[in-house]
Amino acid sequence: MAKRISVFNRKKINDDKILLDCLLNDESSFAVREAYLKLCTNIMYIPSEKKCKTIVVTSAIPGEGKDLLSANLALTLANYAGNNKVLLIDSDLRCSEISATLSDNEIYRGLSEYLAGDDEEVYVSKNSKYGSLEVVLSGAHSSNPAALLSSKRLPEAIRRFEEAYDYIIINVPPIEAVTDALLYSPIVDGYIISTKANYSNINRVSDAIDSIRDVNGKVLGVVLTSAKSNRSNCESCSYGNYKK
Amino acid sequence: MEEKNNEFSIRDLIGMILPKLWIVAIVSVLVSVAVGIYSSFFVKDTYSTTVQFYVHFGSSEANTIEIDKARQLVPVYISAYKSKSFGDDLLVEVNKSSYVKDNPSYKNLTASSLLSMLSFAQDDKVPIMYITVTSTDNNLALTVADALTSLSYDFKIGEDDSSVDETQPEKELSIHTLVPHKAEFQIYQRASLPEIPNEKNVEKSVVVSFFAAAVVTLACIVVYALLDVTIRDRRKLESGVDVPVLGVIPKHINAKNEEGKN
């Protein structure tokens, strides 16, 4: 049975308004959309033997923009970079901004219900506001997320999703904070690490990369967010007829 | 594995300095203003008086060779004046003066403090030595200069070769052994009581302090930037990790807001 999650009510007042404002849409600046398209292009050209690419988006420490990065990456892959079937899984069972932002109402079910055995299938939600993007919300269970993510049901679900989607983007908690992100290493193609300009620490990012490698995970690359717009960005804003 | 690029380029250096130039400017201006205020209002006035000595070999018709030799002796005299033994003699002489005796604040004068009041100069063409005495008290400056003048009467430099007794054990190196010929030392001009204080040269202090503060601040900025591990831009990220940078996302600004700003 779906439950009301009071923790999200508190967060909605503060944070997810910001996340919602920054989600990619037609009103987003040209420079930002182009930046996400470039990122998608780079991801598309990462060689993979499988039809579907399963990518975990994480960060070294909290506050480095991984929620926004994973949401916008999924939105771009789904709506702006071709007709890809994209699934965004919010696997941050502890402090999810994505679920709080993308859910239509505060009563919802998601990954944790499936992992806990409450649901037979993972509930996938789809909101027309976000085009063809499909989302698996984090769910209501918040006790012992690491144990839930260690469940055998998780690889089974991912395997089933890989047959149905072109890209699966999984948002997980920061690596230094909790171990959740590392539990995905055997079942995903790789990790993307979000870093934030003028905030992230290069040593911590290196440590996060090492942590992933220690569990035989593959780091596809890093993404720098909140970067200062340089001159070339401004020029590209008004390049020819491609502004809008 | 790709080797990390830890080289530090001039571009990086300029990139880290340019955004902080305002700090350099503010610190430099503040320091120079502080130095200017301190120099103008807190530094005591100083007074200087100069006594001049003329060095020669005693011949009535001095030729250019003798003048040149005498001129070369001036540095030797300067060395003698800077010596500690001369400082002790000067202290004794200064303590004899009535001005110092009557002024209790000068009871603790030392040889080194007196020597620190002296500055020396030499004329480029003639064998004249200038000794300038500088003090915050103009009377003390004159007293010290007069003591120098008094001591110069006893300042015999150089002796006849015949007077040197080679059978005697070796003596401590003195001015007598430094000067090969008998030279005379005359007062060329006595010191006078300085009544106008020295110019403080506030402008010079301000300019020097401005540039010194700028250099020190720049150095601090560079050191801070070198030790800083915060990711500022793509270059820093690329140089710090051995995985590709897949993308750089600028700060999120909605197009509406952007147009509004423009």
Side-chain angles (χ1 to χ4, degrees):
Chain A
M1 187 183 162
K3 296 165 187 172
R4 184 179 292 273
I5 307 161
S6 59
V7 66
F8 290 146
N9 294 339
R10 287 201 302 274
K11 282 197 76 63
K12 271 195 167 188
I13 298 163
N14 301 317
D15 296 336
D16 73 339
K17 179 76 168 66
I18 299 164
L19 184 67
L20 191 64
D21 285 347
C22 296
L23 284 178
L24 216 58
N25 55 43
D26 292 339
E27 288 180 358
S28 298
S29 73
F30 179 80
V32 172
R33 273 187 288 156
E34 271 306 303
Y36 276 108
L37 280 171
K38 276 183 194 170
L39 171 61
C40 290
T41 306
N42 286 334
I43 289 170
M44 284 174 185
Y45 281 95
I46 291 171
S48 173
E49 291 173 0
K50 294 190 288 183
K51 172 186 157 277
C52 173
K53 283 178 183 166
T54 309
I55 297 166
V56 169
V57 177
T58 186
S59 62
I61 56 170
E64 290 183 299
K66 66 175 177 51
D67 292 325
L68 184 63
L69 175 65
S70 51
N72 277 343
L73 175 60
L75 278 169
T76 311
L77 283 167
N79 301 326
Y80 300 99
N83 294 319
N84 298 304
K85 279 204 79 182
V86 181
L87 178 68
L88 172 62
I89 300 176
D90 185 10
S91 181
D92 191 342
L93 306 183
R94 300 165 193 262
C95 178
S96 174
E97 287 183 39
I98 290 179
S99 292
T101 307
L102 299 187
S103 63
D104 271 343
N105 50 55
E106 290 164 16
I107 302 170
Y108 61 89
R109 59 197 325 124
L111 185 65
S112 62
E113 280 74 27
Y114 168 74
L115 295 177
D118 294 348
D119 291 346
E120 282 304 310
E121 292 293 325
V122 184
Y123 180 77
V124 178
S125 63
K126 191 173 176 186
N127 189 331
S128 57
K129 260 198 310 192
Y130 305 115
S132 61
L133 177 66
E134 294 180 25
V135 184
V136 173
L137 302 176
S138 58
H141 281 277
S142 57
S143 61
N144 204 355
L148 286 177
L149 292 170
S150 304
S151 155
K152 284 180 183 172
R153 291 171 71 90
L154 181 65
E156 286 170 12
I158 297 292
R159 226 173 7 252
R160 280 203 301 278
F161 285 138
E162 282 178 342
E163 288 167 10
Y165 295 92
D166 297 318
Y167 292 94
I168 300 170
I169 307 297
I170 306 170
N171 176 54
V172 296
I175 287 174
E176 275 200 17
V178 285
T179 186
D180 301 9
L182 302 177
L183 296 170
Y184 277 95
S185 70
I187 52 174
V188 297
D189 291 311
Y191 289 78
I192 290 176
I193 297 174
S194 174
T195 62
K196 190 175 183 180
N198 298 317
Y199 178 81
S200 301
N201 178 316
I202 201 83
N203 294 335
R204 286 177 179 244
V205 175
S206 294
D207 289 346
I209 292 169
D210 291 342
S211 299
I212 293 168
R213 286 177 176 154
D214 287 345
V215 293
N216 295 321
K218 184 181 177 187
V219 181
L220 301 174
V222 290
V223 176
L224 182 65
T225 64
S226 294
K228 193 179 172 186
S229 293
N230 57 24
R231 200 164 161 247
S232 60
N233 286 131
C234 297
E235 282 168 357
S236 67
C237 292
S238 57
Y239 181 71
N241 296 321
Y242 297 100
K243 188 172 179 179
K244 284 275 181 177
Chain B
M1 192 183 288
E2 209 175 301
E3 199 176 315
K4 285 184 187 179
N5 177 20
N6 288 326
E7 283 181 15
F8 191 67
S9 67
I10 291 179
R11 188 180 159 185
D12 292 329
L13 188 70
I14 293 169
M16 69 178 66
I17 289 173
L18 276 181
K20 310 277 185 193
L21 271 183
W22 64 274
I23 298 174
V24 177
I26 287 175
V27 170
S28 304
V29 168
L30 287 177
V31 169
S32 56
V33 166
V35 168
I37 291 170
Y38 181 77
S39 305
S40 303
F41 302 107
F42 296 99
V43 173
K44 282 184 181 174
D45 286 337
T46 57
Y47 297 85
S48 293
T49 186
T50 302
V51 58
Q52 297 177 26
F53 296 104
Y54 178 64
V55 181
H56 62 95
F57 288 104
S59 61
S60 56
E61 292 178 9
N63 56 34
T64 52
I65 296 169
E66 281 192 343
I67 289 173
D68 195 43
K69 278 184 177 174
R71 206 172 60 77
Q72 288 173 16
L73 284 179
V74 173
V76 181
Y77 282 108
I78 290 175
S79 301
Y81 273 111
K82 286 178 177 174
S83 66
K84 191 179 177 303
S85 58
F86 179 77
D88 294 336
D89 293 345
L90 183 63
L91 180 62
V92 171
E93 193 66 27
V94 168
N95 282 333
K96 284 180 192 169
S97 71
S98 57
Y99 181 71
V100 170
K101 276 180 186 170
D102 297 343
N103 200 332
S105 62
Y106 294 131
K107 284 205 169 148
N108 294 326
L109 275 176
T110 61
S112 59
S113 68
L114 288 176
L115 288 177
S116 69
M117 292 162 67
L118 309 182
S119 59
F120 301 88
Q122 177 183 4
D123 195 285
D124 287 340
K125 290 176 183 169
V126 290
I128 291 179
M129 177 173 66
Y130 304 89
I131 305 179
T132 302
V133 185
T134 304
S135 171
T136 52
D137 179 351
N138 56 347
N139 285 308
L140 180 67
L142 181 63
T143 304
V144 174
D146 286 344
L148 285 171
T149 311
S150 304
L151 284 173
S152 72
Y153 292 120
D154 303 329
F155 212 69
K156 289 177 183 172
I157 306 246
E159 290 186 29
D160 292 332
D161 292 343
S162 57
S163 65
V164 178
D165 185 359
E166 291 181 358
T167 59
Q168 292 293 317
E170 196 175 341
K171 289 180 181 175
E172 195 181 336
L173 188 67
S174 70
I175 195 70
H176 302 287
T177 55
L178 292 173
V179 182
H181 305 288
K182 187 176 181 181
E184 289 188 14
F185 192 69
Q186 284 188 341
I187 298 158
Y188 188 70
Q189 187 176 314
R190 288 177 182 278
S192 57
L193 180 69
E195 289 178 352
I196 301 168
N198 295 335
E199 206 175 311
K200 280 184 179 171
N201 216 343
V202 176
E203 292 87 355
K204 188 182 171 188
S205 305
V206 167
V207 170
V208 169
S209 62
F210 180 88
F211 284 106
V215 168
V216 171
T217 312
L218 277 175
C220 291
I221 288 171
V222 170
V223 169
Y224 175 78
L226 288 174
L227 298 176
D228 185 24
V229 289
T230 307
I231 297 166
R232 307 268 176 210
D233 53 21
R234 183 185 186 126
R235 284 170 61 83
K236 181 92 176 178
L237 183 58
E238 278 174 341
S239 65
V241 297
D242 57 0
V243 292
V245 177
L246 293 173
V248 177
I249 313 294
K251 274 185 182 169
H252 283 259
I253 305 165
N254 282 346
K256 272 184 180 175
N257 296 344
E258 223 171 31
E259 282 164 13
K261 277 181 187 173
N262 295 337

